[in-house]
Amino acid sequence: MAATKTLRASLSALLLLLLCVLPVSAYSRRACQAPTRNPLAGCPHGTLLVGPSQKFTTVQSAVLSLGNTTTAATILILPGNYTEQVNVTRQGPLTLLGQTSHPNDATKNTINIIWHNATGTATTGTYDNAYTSVLTIAPTLNASATGSGPSGTPAEAGTPFGNYNFRVYNLNFINDYLPYSAGPSLALSMSYANAGFYYSQFLSYQDTVYIGKLGNAYMYSCIVGGQTDFFYGFGTLWVTDSQVKLRGCGGGITAWKGSNTTFVNHYGVYIHNGVVEKANSTLNITHQCALGRPWNAQHRSIFANNYLDDSIKPSGYIQWSATDPRVNANTTMAEYKDFGPGFNLTGRLEASNITIEMTPEQYAPYDRPAKVFQYPSGEFGNVAWIDQHPQA
């Protein structure tokens, strides 16, 4: 009897997973996003429309109307600035589309979702980073919390996995609390979820992108801007063919906190085939920005095949601090075939106790998404939710 119940539970979980990773019925993303007299003409049946004079005037109101179901849904957002926080807790597949004539170009997006908040400042006081985020994808508030200490906020027993297949195309998420690093001010927070972001922008100054526990995030042809530790978290993030915009230098570009698990994990941040450069030519930050620093000694980040401008420190990575280095044999702060004026081989070799220049053999276990994205059980190959052909 116990074996039968276990089998039924496993089959139910498998069915839920299949339902949640299946995409919305085939449609032309370009046709749905194109500005037309009837905005929904090329969209999947049942697509919700958000706009200043529509039934839904905020993205959050459209999300809430869907309920916590496993039914796939699509929301199309008309051009404009939306001052709000968007919070997604549902498990069912959800796609957010920004209306645009340029669906393959993040620099021409016409929708900005904006919030103004930070924590740890004299004005705001101190509360968890989760409260500051423009976009949050997590099943519960507790699951989204960053917390403190070696392992952060522990998730409550029985916390369910959140959205299995969340996608965003051509939207900008901006936390503009202040035009410099004043305290954690997130543009994106996601935990216990799978999410893909395509041709989108995430802009802030400190802690721009947070990928929390059991978070799997994939970014393609995106723009991410920040100043201090602006890729950070516990989960797994793959960034490819994207622009990393340095809006100043503080801490590092990356700051990851590894976790002890009963299985081998590849949690970390992987930035591939991109451009890392100052946000504008007026910034005087030559050789001042670090690729990363270890939030704890199990930090894992790899920059591979990226163009680096002259903002990057000769050493590449740095310690957390002089008195608290947080670097040991379990720390992976690495590069593979980066190039450009920000790649200084002499400087990297002088900092070889901190920065790892990977060989092909060292890099091979991390060279594609299927090798790093894991199911909650620890099994690798959790990639069905990724749009493998995002060009519209």
Side-chain angles (χ1 to χ4, degrees):
M1 182 65 71
T4 301
K5 289 182 178 179
T6 300
L7 178 60
R8 287 175 178 171
S10 298
L11 290 173
S12 296
L14 178 60
L15 178 60
L16 175 62
L17 177 60
L18 290 172
L19 287 171
C20 288
V21 299
L22 288 175
V24 177
S25 57
Y27 70 100
S28 166
R29 181 170 70 83
R30 179 181 291 272
C32 182
Q33 291 182 273
T36 60
R37 181 172 297 179
N38 178 4
L40 297 179
C43 298
H45 177 72
T47 297
L48 302 182
L49 185 64
V50 174
S53 60
Q54 304 301 319
K55 174 183 177 182
F56 298 107
T57 58
T58 66
V59 179
Q60 185 61 25
S61 63
V63 170
L64 290 175
S65 75
L66 298 171
N68 191 20
T69 71
T70 58
T71 304
T74 303
I75 297 173
L76 176 66
I77 304 163
L78 298 180
N81 292 333
Y82 298 82
T83 302
E84 60 173 311
Q85 289 179 290
V86 179
N87 185 10
V88 178
T89 59
R90 73 190 310 265
Q91 287 187 315
L94 176 59
T95 299
L96 304 184
L97 300 172
Q99 189 182 72
T100 178
S101 299
H102 307 278
N104 297 334
D105 187 349
T107 67
K108 296 180 179 178
N109 292 349
T110 59
I111 296 95
N112 299 312
I113 302 175
I114 305 168
W115 197 242
H116 325 271
N117 199 6
T119 181
T121 74
T123 302
T124 65
T126 300
Y127 36 78
D128 194 86
N129 298 5
Y131 291 97
T132 72
S133 188
V134 184
L135 172 64
T136 300
I137 310 142
T140 65
L141 174 61
N142 176 263
S144 71
T146 301
S148 60
S151 57
T153 298
E156 296 174 345
T159 298
F161 199 79
N163 200 289
Y164 283 87
N165 189 354
F166 181 81
R167 298 182 181 187
V168 170
Y169 298 83
N170 301 98
L171 298 178
N172 300 336
F173 298 90
I174 303 168
N175 191 328
D176 63 353
Y177 174 73
L178 282 173
Y180 53 84
S181 180
S185 48
L186 283 55
L188 169 65
S189 170
M190 62 161 293
S191 304
Y192 282 74
N194 302 325
F197 305 95
Y198 310 90
Y199 309 104
S200 295
Q201 297 191 34
F202 300 89
L203 304 176
S204 183
Y205 285 86
Q206 184 168 334
D207 298 351
T208 306
V209 171
Y210 171 63
I211 309 301
K213 295 173 183 177
L214 298 187
N216 295 306
Y218 179 89
M219 293 184 176
Y220 177 85
S221 200
C222 288
I223 298 171
V224 182
Q227 176 180 348
T228 302
D229 301 338
F230 59 99
F231 292 100
Y232 85 109
F234 296 88
T236 305
L237 170 62
W238 184 281
V239 182
T240 187
D241 297 272
S242 295
Q243 300 175 50
V244 176
K245 295 291 189 180
L246 303 168
R247 309 178 90 184
C249 300
I253 297 172
T254 63
W256 225 253
K257 185 173 284 190
S259 302
N260 292 319
T261 56
T262 57
F263 48 81
V264 173
N265 76 68
H266 285 180
Y267 303 155
V269 54
Y270 305 89
I271 300 177
H272 291 251
N273 304 325
V275 173
V276 181
E277 62 184 2
K278 59 177 68 71
N280 63 71
S281 60
T282 66
L283 290 170
N284 183 18
I285 54 174
T286 301
H287 299 161
Q288 294 183 30
C289 294
L291 295 176
R293 60 176 182 160
W295 194 14
N296 72 6
Q298 292 169 281
H299 170 117
R300 179 183 289 116
S301 65
I302 301 173
F303 285 76
N305 298 298
N306 297 287
Y307 171 85
L308 309 178
D309 84 352
D310 63 6
S311 306
I312 302 303
K313 284 179 173 289
S315 64
Y317 289 89
I318 59 173
Q319 300 173 336
W320 181 260
S321 70
T323 57
D324 184 15
R326 304 184 187 180
V327 177
N328 62 29
N330 296 314
T331 311
T332 303
M333 299 194 292
E335 289 180 283
Y336 180 73
K337 294 187 176 181
D338 284 338
F339 59 97
F343 180 74
N344 182 323
L345 181 58
T346 300
R348 302 301 200 265
L349 294 176
E350 290 175 352
S352 60
N353 60 321
I354 299 173
T355 302
I356 300 169
E357 293 302 313
M358 284 184 154
T359 65
E361 292 75 21
Q362 290 174 311
Y363 177 60
Y366 312 100
D367 64 4
R368 61 179 185 269
K371 292 184 178 181
V372 300
F373 286 121
Q374 296 171 257
Y375 295 95
S377 63
E379 181 182 356
F380 289 96
N382 179 17
V383 294
W385 48 275
I386 296 174
D387 185 349
Q388 304 289 351
H389 306 284
Q391 298 83 0

